[in-house]
Amino acid sequence: MEGQGLMLTLFLFSVLEVDVKVADNNAKHHTDLMSTTQLIMRRGQSFSIHLKFKEPFNPGVHNLVFTATLGNIPDKIRGTKCVFGIPDFVKRAPNAKAIWKAELSPDQKGRNVVVNITPPADAPVGKYSLFLNYLGEDKKLGHFPLIFNPWCTDDSVYMENEEKIQEYVLNERGVIFKGSGNYISPMFWDYGQFEDDMVEIALTLLYVSPEHLTNPMKDEAARYNPIYVSRIISRMINSDEDRGVLKGQWEGPYIGGMSPTHWSGSYPILKRWYNIGCHPVKFGQCWVFAGVMCSVMRALGIPCRVITNYESAHDCDKNLTIDVYHADWGVKEIPSPDSIWTFHVWCEGWMKRPDLSPEFDGWQVLDPTPQELSGGVHRCGPAPVKAILNGNTDLDYDVPFVFAEVNADCNDYLVWIMCKTISTDSRRVGQNISTKSVGSNKRWDITSHYKHTEGQAHRIKYVSSPVVSAAVSMYWIFYTVLQVLGEAFVYRPVFVEMTFENPVSETLRDCTITLSGSELTKEEEEEIRFRVTVSFYPRKAGKKTLMADFDCSVFKNIKKSIPITVQKYNLF
């Protein structure tokens, strides 16, 4: 529901005004950072509407009848339409789904009435319309997005720990781990789930999916289930079969787009996809796919985190092993579709698994990087992490593939007169599985969540330097001086001083700095030439992160981030 000054006036005979109280309702639903003008509600939690009638309202005599609808052909049996009222005399079929409720706030008097409306915790997510019938008059009150609610005990994405909700739903600043198992390197990622239009973009992803375009009624009804929604998101982040967000490319040249290493956050990618008519943005690799999916999941209210697996197996023939064949002793191996990647990045989403037993509730692996087909398209998951740990490879979805990524045996065979096993390594695959810690940027090793201990763990060296080149390790300094030049206020210019020290003797040409940051810069802002001092205008208050990406003729994508606390600006 939208409105200037948060007030919608209806020129009706009976109802004079409807105030949807956007600021109050969004704050209660933890969506106030998403919008100050658009009502964005979470299922399973009430929101209030203030009505002003021409004549005093008598609840013993007058009826208020509301209708909530989702989609163009809403249906009560499918749960995409519900008629409910005060008092609720509405007759419903026994198999009607997703029943909404309305209640009057206590001590209602006169012409002003406050109604509390509660969407059910199993309502399908999407763009809803709300109608009111009063004294025979039907009027549309407005429309609003309804998303998942991890604070609601009856929602299937409910997460009990508030600190974890703050991290996995509300935190816009993240860390994604790259490098190798022996040299783990963190990079900061800006999820930007509270940026302008992010909920609209996330829902658009569902509405342009092949599932919706093929059968919108079936698709909308199925969106009560985060299992279904997360599978749609997994396929729609990549663009192999549809109008997905990102086109993957695993080596250069990256003609017609950006190198995957260019990206520092999700919002520039998602906004560009949205602005160009939902056509793929070029280009992405695993950490970019995972970062963008995490943003969409958090925007829709599903707790999500990004995971990195080192020495990650890609088992193409689904035999849970990585097989290498040699024609003779000392001869180079025969090309095989199986492979082991230095690292691979995916997501975990938090949800219940009513299709399985309760022991498999919790974190589920979701991988948007296009690798193997699942249900005929490139997607992966949700695969319960507990099923991967315990080797339950008969369970949905894609558990065998993920199990092999972290636990496959590596077999070398000699192919001569007959196939003979040369060696087997059961410890190489699945090392140092990493994610960001709750409440800090430290690395959290969660290997034990995926696999049982296999003897002595491999030793690792943790490096914080964000640049490691295959040909040369370059030392660089890119920093702010006491950080920000002065205090930072909303809609006031903020000046940041940056210094770059050239680590090579060659003159650097074509230097650019690209700035980005949720609610700090409106778009990616590129400085054509290097400047010691740069400025921008923050749009929201709070703790933010400014991302800077330095490019020049010698090396690309040198990234640095700094924290900035933006204060509210008061004229008086």
Side-chain angles (χ1 to χ4, degrees), residues 245-297:
V245 175
L246 274 165
K247 181 174 177 59
Q249 185 160 316
W250 316 116
E251 57 185 2
Y254 300 101
I255 299 173
M258 297 290 187
S259 164
T261 58
H262 166 80
W263 307 112
S264 300
S266 304
Y267 183 67
I269 297 170
L270 288 164
K271 185 67 171 178
R272 183 175 301 183
W273 172 80
Y274 183 72
N275 287 343
I276 63 176
C278 304
H279 294 290
V281 175
K282 302 176 181 179
F283 294 98
Q285 291 181 11
C286 64
W287 70 92
V288 185
F289 286 109
V292 172
M293 180 169 186
C294 186
S295 299
V296 173
M297 295 279 279

Side-chain angles (χ1 to χ4, degrees), residues 506-546:
E506 181 178 345
T507 300
L508 306 183
R509 306 181 186 279
D510 301 321
C511 299
T512 62
I513 298 175
T514 302
L515 301 180
S516 62
S518 292
E519 297 145 1
L520 290 177
T521 62
K522 193 167 185 179
E523 303 286 348
E524 285 192 332
E525 299 179 2
E526 183 175 281
E527 296 292 335
I528 298 176
R529 62 187 61 84
F530 184 86
R531 294 178 180 176
V532 174
T533 303
V534 295
S535 65
F536 53 90
Y537 289 76
R539 303 193 310 283
K540 291 184 182 179
K543 294 181 179 180
K544 310 297 178 185
T545 299
L546 179 67

Side-chain angles (χ1 to χ4, degrees), residues 79 139 179 225 238 246 257 261 274 317 360 405 468 509 513 555:
K139 288 296 178 179
N225 189 348
N238 71 72
L246 274 165
T261 58
Y274 183 72
D317 54 12
F360 298 112
E405 286 185 298
V468 178
R509 306 181 186 279
I513 298 175
F555 33 75

Side-chain angles (χ1 to χ4, degrees), residues 450-465:
Y450 280 84
K451 54 194 298 185
H452 297 288
T453 304
E454 296 175 327
Q456 185 178 1
H458 289 200
R459 295 180 61 191
I460 68 167
K461 182 178 180 181
Y462 183 69
V463 292
S464 58
S465 171

